[in-house]
Amino acid sequence: MSSKEKSESRSMVTFLIHGQEYGMKTEAIRSIIPVGDMTFVPGAPPSVAGVINLRGDIIPVVELEGTTRDDDAPWEEGLALVVEIPDDAEDLAVALMVDEVTQVDRADFARIEDTDELMVARDRADAVIGVLSRADGPLLILDPAGLVPEEKEVGA
Amino acid sequence: MDWDSEDIELSEEELITLVAEAEEELDGAEGVLLQMEAASDSFGRRAGDEERLDTLFRAMHTLKGNASSVGWEAMASLAHAAEDLMQGVRDGTIAPSGDVADLLLRTVDEMRSLTSALAEGGEMPAVSASLIRDMQSISDRASEEYAGDSRSDSDLFRGGGAPGTAVEGSALVVEIEVSEETDIPAVRALQAIMACEEMGSELVSDPSKDDIDAGAMEDGGRILCRISEPWERGEIAEALHEIEGVIHVRFGTSTGEDLAGESGAESEVDEGKSADAGIARSADTRQIRVDVSLMDRLMNQVVEMVITRNRLSSLIETLSDHGMRDLSEEMQATVEQMAGITTTLQEDIMQTRLVPLDSLFRRFPRMMRNLKKSSGKEFHFQTDGGDTEIDRSLLDAIGDPMIHLLRNAVDHGIEDPEVRRGAGKDPAGTIRLSAFRQENFIVVEVSDDGGGLDVEAIAARARARGLLDSDAERRMSEEDLLDLLFSPGFSTSESVTEISGRGVGLDVVRREVEDVNGTVIVENRPGRGSTFRLSLPLTVTTVRSLLVEIARQVYVIPLGSIRETIRLEAVDLHRTGDTPMLPFRGDFIPLFRLRDFFPDSSGAIAGGDEKYIVVLSMDRRDYGLLVDDLLGEEESVIKPLRRPIGNIPGLSSATIRPDGSVALILDANGLFKEMRRTARRAINE
């Protein structure tokens, strides 16, 4: 998604994960919830911290890949964005752990540039689809679909 | 004919009903045709054949009526030609030969593709004109040869003696009442008129078909039809009562021209047949079609109720802990009462979701017939236990795996006739599909009396595929080697044949079965065949289970896989290598910790205080799982673990506990397999 001539103003939620500020389009975010006790899932991908019960649905709690915490201690309590994942087959949602929600704002999505062009965040997760330059530093834009990689073949 | 599904204007509901009825009729017709083909030399003379022919004729008749009432010309023209042909067979003017059966089977195929095109709203495939022509030419030839009165032949053939009398040369007034309760009264009314048209000549009706098109029968009501040269009344009544929504049929005679004038005249009810038909009808109206998604919603709501009930019980325990004994006891009694109702409700709703496996099984004779033709192998196909009931979502889920296993049995199981003869066997093999209930499972088996599985060849192929090295092989039992068949990347077929299809292997079968918490294993009888056995859970939404605590977290183990629970301090363990062994029923079984199964997550599930052993049984053997505590039994509601978690061997799903937290449901089979795979990997490295 490189810069285009037309402007495309959309609502965006911005939040902090380990000091880096990220943004995601507001329409993908169902709610912001406190996450307390969660159930650890042995054998789950490393990005999955556990599962919680959200009004009768079992929702995986995920950490953004590439943002591994300094200590391996289980994550105690905090805030998560419940993000709806586009999927043809089923209703998918994950709770993305964040440190703090900074603001809800409008942003010009046409100004989002490829991360490569700015040489930032190369080691970041697949979910980062672009970057928005701002006066107070780059804002990394997350794509909800990137939070849930396609299912791998079992035993492959 | 240029024709598109969009040319038919139908509401969603009408479309669903039309497609469902067409599929039902086609299934019924196909079953009869296969029997006809198999026994063409004696067909028509065996007991029950008359009814079979009637079924077939009626299927074509209903298909034609339904199709023409909505202007579905392609289907109507096919059904019309097939009906004529069937009429001839029923009258005895056309022999029910294999060729006729084959022609009709091809017609059924064609009708199926028309039906699915209609259901999907796609473009209608062109109807094969040659098919219709072939059917017509047989019918025409027959009616030339037998220029007699085929109608009376038909009566004789059907046993005659019907209570109604043929009214020749005069007119008959039929009063038909269409219920407003039926989902599409206007369409039913049109069908009724068309059925009357079939039964005589020169029909006048009030309201007319145009009136009905203009909306006259939208809320049901009465139709009067005057039929000249009618068939006998019993047949008319029977045909009309076959139409959904027709609740009354009455007859009067007419000699005049004015239909309306006749209607007031005394009507005589055909006591014999229409009374019988009326009974059959009322039995039918006790059943209703329900959208599956509505049933799913009902089920979900009941499941939520079970969760709420469990939560209520646990809250009452808390009350009791806080010294409010009297109140909590009273509440406990009330909740128990409610629990009883919820359980009954849950069981009833579960019951509504059950369908006999026959609805899946009856698809297979046709497929097997085609496979027999294309493979050049000879075999008999038998099914057994089709009345075993299963949750309909499971039925959908095992369709593809069953097709695959049956194809496998033809492709790899049954030997060529010469080979069989050489081995002193009947040149024609037997493939058997059977189902039965066993404790908490529904078992579905595909077995053949072919050559069985070649364990050596399986091992060799696994080595070639890099799934196995000779070191590991030496340690593996025959069962383990057979299990390699289900490994991804393993396929016994040397080339991808049409029969086994697209190179999809048994690994996919296993995955699809495991997706619905079932298991699949293979039993080998060298030289005498093999059996693939699917075990499927009885229900898909809840499971009776034992709650256990492991490393400060609660896990759920389905009771179906538990043999026994044992206090750790009550036993003497032995040690083989690193694995502690438990003496159990005269044998030694290995003992594991949960973290042994999940080496990558072992840190997070360590540090418990083990006090109990839960002995789990898997397909063929038992093993023990060390747990910290036993927390009692419950009816656990199964919730899926979705992406990015997805399939984790050993964890089938999750449930919500009364306190709102999530507990994982362990899958005893999956755990053990994962363990063996990890071990195999370790040996290979």
Side-chain angles (χ1 to χ4, degrees):
Chain A
M1 213 184 285
S2 57
S3 57
K4 292 274 155 14
E5 54 285 352
K6 272 211 303 213
S7 78
E8 192 191 340
S9 170
R10 285 159 83 177
S11 174
M12 185 163 66
V13 173
T14 60
F15 45 89
L16 287 173
I17 299 176
H18 294 312
Q20 169 64 51
E21 196 166 20
Y22 294 86
M24 189 185 284
K25 55 184 182 190
T26 308
E27 65 210 50
I29 297 168
R30 201 190 286 170
S31 56
I32 299 168
I33 54 166
V35 175
D37 288 338
M38 67 176 116
T39 301
F40 176 75
V41 184
S47 65
V48 175
V51 286
I52 51 163
N53 162 21
L54 187 68
R55 288 185 290 277
D57 274 335
I58 292 178
I59 306 278
V61 180
V62 300
E63 288 182 278
L64 195 59
E65 265 179 89
T67 62
T68 357
R69 276 149 213 284
D70 299 335
D71 53 340
D72 267 345
W75 184 71
E76 293 289 333
E77 196 154 320
L79 208 58
L81 302 178
V82 180
V83 181
E84 282 180 31
I85 310 295
D87 185 271
D88 297 336
E90 50 189 358
D91 284 341
L92 269 190
V94 297
L96 173 67
M97 299 193 331
V98 300
D99 298 329
E100 189 186 331
V101 173
T102 42
Q103 61 175 328
V104 180
D105 203 359
R106 296 199 78 76
D108 185 357
F109 272 61
R111 280 180 42 236
I112 293 175
E113 293 172 80
D114 281 351
T115 46
D116 281 353
E117 288 177 21
L118 289 186
M119 305 286 284
V120 293
R122 266 218 191 122
D123 56 339
R124 297 293 176 173
D126 295 341
V128 178
I129 48 160
V131 63
L132 206 56
S133 313
R134 301 174 309 176
D136 46 353
L139 180 69
L140 299 181
I141 308 300
L142 294 181
D143 173 27
L147 295 175
V148 176
E150 287 296 315
E151 199 151 52
K152 276 175 278 181
E153 281 293 302
V154 175
Chain B
M1 189 185 308
D2 248 356
W3 201 80
D4 211 281
S5 333
E6 277 136 35
D7 292 352
I8 305 184
E9 279 179 35
L10 287 174
S11 70
E12 185 76 359
E13 198 178 339
E14 289 167 341
L15 181 71
I16 290 169
T17 311
L18 186 66
V19 168
E21 282 187 11
E23 282 170 353
E24 237 167 64
E25 297 295 349
L26 288 171
D27 284 346
E30 194 171 85
V32 176
L33 286 170
L34 289 170
Q35 291 189 37
M36 189 200 280
E37 188 183 45
S40 58
D41 42 347
S42 63
F43 195 84
R45 295 195 298 274
R46 300 174 310 166
D49 279 354
E50 264 177 48
E51 286 78 28
R52 288 187 193 107
L53 285 171
D54 277 350
T55 308
L56 196 53
F57 178 78
R58 251 184 255 126
M60 291 304 150
H61 185 76
T62 308
L63 282 166
K64 184 181 71 170
N66 284 359
S68 24
S69 65
V70 297
W72 187 11
E73 297 300 337
M75 177 64 111
S77 59
L78 264 177
H80 187 83
E83 186 191 7
D84 283 350
L85 189 58
M86 276 320 303
Q87 176 79 46
V89 175
R90 217 166 62 149
D91 291 350
T93 59
I94 296 171
S97 65
D99 286 348
V100 168
D102 190 62
L103 194 58
L104 286 166
L105 280 169
R106 279 193 283 137
T107 308
V108 167
D109 276 347
E110 188 107 3
M111 288 172 163
R112 277 200 202 282
S113 56
L114 288 176
T115 308
S116 52
L118 181 72
E120 283 151 20
E123 201 172 313
M124 276 288 150
V127 173
S128 147
S130 70
L131 203 56
I132 296 183
R133 220 170 26 240
D134 287 353
M135 286 194 280
Q136 276 168 348
S137 73
I138 296 180
S139 303
D140 291 350
R141 217 179 316 138
S143 58
E144 277 163 29
E145 285 167 18
Y146 295 84
D149 183 359
S150 65
R151 200 166 294 153
S152 57
D153 277 348
S154 148
D155 287 344
L156 284 175
F157 184 81
R158 292 158 59 85
T165 45
V167 189
E168 297 285 355
S170 62
L172 180 72
V173 172
V174 191
E175 183 187 320
I176 305 155
E177 190 173 344
V178 178
S179 164
E180 61 174 325
E181 304 280 303
T182 186
D183 41 3
I184 38 177
V187 174
R188 300 307 181 191
L190 282 173
Q191 280 177 260
I193 293 179
M194 274 183 285
C196 288
E197 277 176 335
E198 294 284 304
M199 309 267 178
S201 59
E202 284 185 58
L203 175 123
V204 187
S205 76
D206 177 31
S208 69
K209 285 201 270 185
D210 287 344
D211 295 340
I212 295 172
D213 280 341
M217 292 287 290
E218 254 163 24
D219 300 316
R222 290 191 321 172
I223 319 163
L224 289 169
C225 289
R226 203 194 61 216
I227 314 171
S228 302
E229 290 175 48
W231 293 17
E232 60 107 348
R233 295 176 185 184
E235 254 179 27
I236 297 175
E238 196 184 337
L240 287 171
H241 278 299
E242 290 230 321
I243 299 166
E244 291 242 13
V246 170
I247 45 180
H248 282 299
V249 177
R250 305 210 300 163
F251 297 101
T253 42
S254 158
T255 45
E257 297 296 313
D258 182 6
L259 179 68
E262 298 308 320
S263 67
E266 55 184 299
S267 313
E268 55 174 87
V269 178
D270 188 322
E271 296 287 341
K273 274 210 171 175
S274 68
D276 285 351
I279 292 165
R281 186 77 240 147
S282 63
D284 266 2
T285 47
R286 284 167 168 276
Q287 303 194 338
I288 50 164
R289 283 179 196 282
V290 180
D291 191 346
V292 177
S293 67
L294 174 64
M295 274 165 48
D296 287 346
R297 284 205 301 278
L298 273 178
M299 192 67 216
N300 286 341
Q301 279 154 15
V302 169
V303 160
E304 293 303 326
M305 228 162 107
V306 174
I307 295 178
T308 316
R309 178 197 71 196
N310 289 352
R311 175 149 174 75
L312 209 51
S313 299
S314 98
L315 281 176
I316 291 168
E317 269 171 40
T318 320
L319 271 185
S320 173
D321 293 345
H322 285 69
M324 303 173 80
R325 289 272 313 260
D326 290 354
L327 183 62
S328 77
E329 268 168 29
E330 204 171 312
M331 284 179 74
Q332 193 63 51
T334 318
V335 167
E336 264 162 33
Q337 204 177 347
M338 188 184 122
I341 300 169
T342 334
T343 307
T344 315
L345 189 60
Q346 193 193 352
E347 281 166 2
D348 284 352
I349 289 188
M350 216 93 90
Q351 197 70 35
T352 65
R353 295 172 55 93
L354 294 182
V355 282
L357 272 162
D358 252 338
S359 44
L360 176 67
F361 283 9
R362 68 181 174 207
R363 279 163 47 188
F364 297 135
R366 182 65 191 280
M367 179 186 97
M368 297 305 272
R369 164 190 177 268
N370 292 347
L371 286 179
K372 201 192 302 187
K373 284 196 168 173
S374 61
S375 69
K377 297 192 177 174
E378 286 175 33
F379 58 85
H380 304 290
F381 177 58
Q382 300 174 346
T383 60
D384 186 23
D387 54 349
T388 311
E389 291 190 314
I390 188 168
D391 190 284
R392 64 156 299 122
S393 64
L394 286 177
L395 194 75
D396 295 341
I398 64 167
D400 286 348
M402 296 313 301
I403 290 174
H404 191 90
L405 291 176
L406 288 169
R407 287 179 165 179
N408 251 345
V410 177
D411 207 17
H412 309 303
I414 300 294
E415 316 91 321
D416 287 327
E418 296 73 42
V419 178
R420 291 184 65 91
R421 229 174 255 122
K425 289 170 155 181
D426 183 338
T430 301
I431 295 175
R432 197 179 175 78
L433 173 62
S434 51
F436 52 92
R437 180 169 168 175
Q438 191 176 56
E439 291 167 37
N440 286 318
F441 297 96
I442 300 290
V443 178
V444 184
E445 289 181 348
V446 174
S447 52
D448 63 69
D449 66 347
L453 296 158
D454 184 345
V455 179
E456 290 293 308
I458 291 169
R461 174 163 289 258
R463 276 196 303 272
R465 291 272 193 276
L467 298 167
L468 179 71
D469 69 20
S470 47
D471 246 13
E473 189 184 335
R474 242 177 289 121
R475 297 175 189 222
M476 285 170 81
S477 66
E478 186 177 320
E479 286 159 13
D480 292 338
L481 289 168
L482 284 174
D483 213 59
L484 288 169
L485 278 175
F486 298 101
S487 310
F490 188 98
S491 168
T492 49
S493 133
E494 285 299 333
S495 61
V496 176
T497 65
E498 189 204 348
I499 296 177
S500 280
R502 295 174 296 281
V504 176
L506 285 168
D507 59 318
V508 178
V509 170
R510 171 163 277 175
R511 196 174 64 210
E512 285 177 352
V513 172
E514 287 181 351
D515 274 351
V516 292
N517 298 324
T519 61
V520 54
I521 56 164
V522 59
E523 240 176 46
N524 192 22
R525 300 177 297 277
R528 292 183 297 119
S530 58
T531 297
F532 285 84
R533 178 174 302 125
L534 270 64
S535 301
L536 301 160
L538 287 182
T539 59
V540 287
T541 45
T542 64
V543 60
R544 290 286 318 158
S545 53
L546 174 72
L547 302 179
V548 301
E549 189 179 305
I550 301 169
R552 294 173 306 282
Q553 198 160 289
V554 177
Y555 291 86
V556 175
I557 307 176
L559 287 186
S561 53
I562 298 177
R563 305 265 319 241
E564 216 172 297
T565 57
I566 302 169
R567 282 189 80 87
L568 185 57
E569 60 182 29
V571 292
D572 282 325
L573 296 185
H574 295 247
R575 211 158 259 285
T576 312
D578 288 339
T579 312
M581 303 293 282
L582 169 75
F584 182 71
R585 301 189 188 176
D587 203 353
F588 284 95
I589 62 171
L591 212 50
F592 300 110
R593 295 180 170 85
L594 190 64
R595 63 171 186 264
D596 296 332
F597 300 107
F598 300 105
D600 297 339
S601 322
S602 61
I605 44 176
D609 175 18
E610 291 145 355
K611 290 198 206 67
Y612 294 92
I613 299 164
V614 180
V615 179
L616 300 170
S617 70
M618 48 157 312
D619 298 329
R620 295 187 187 89
R621 55 186 110 149
D622 303 331
Y623 65 98
L625 179 69
L626 282 163
V627 304
D628 301 345
D629 208 353
L630 306 177
L631 306 173
E633 291 179 21
E634 73 163 27
E635 182 83 22
S636 302
V637 174
I638 300 171
K639 298 265 180 180
L641 289 169
R642 297 211 169 88
R643 285 194 290 141
I645 298 178
N647 276 315
I648 299 175
L651 292 180
S652 62
S653 45
T655 189
I656 294 173
R657 306 221 39 233
D659 66 1
S661 65
V662 178
L664 301 168
I665 302 180
L666 297 180
D667 161 23
N669 256 318
L671 277 180
F672 197 78
K673 287 205 190 93
E674 179 61 9
M675 183 71 188
R676 281 201 295 187
R677 218 181 41 213
T678 315
R680 213 176 291 151
R681 212 159 40 214
I683 291 164
N684 285 345
E685 280 159 11

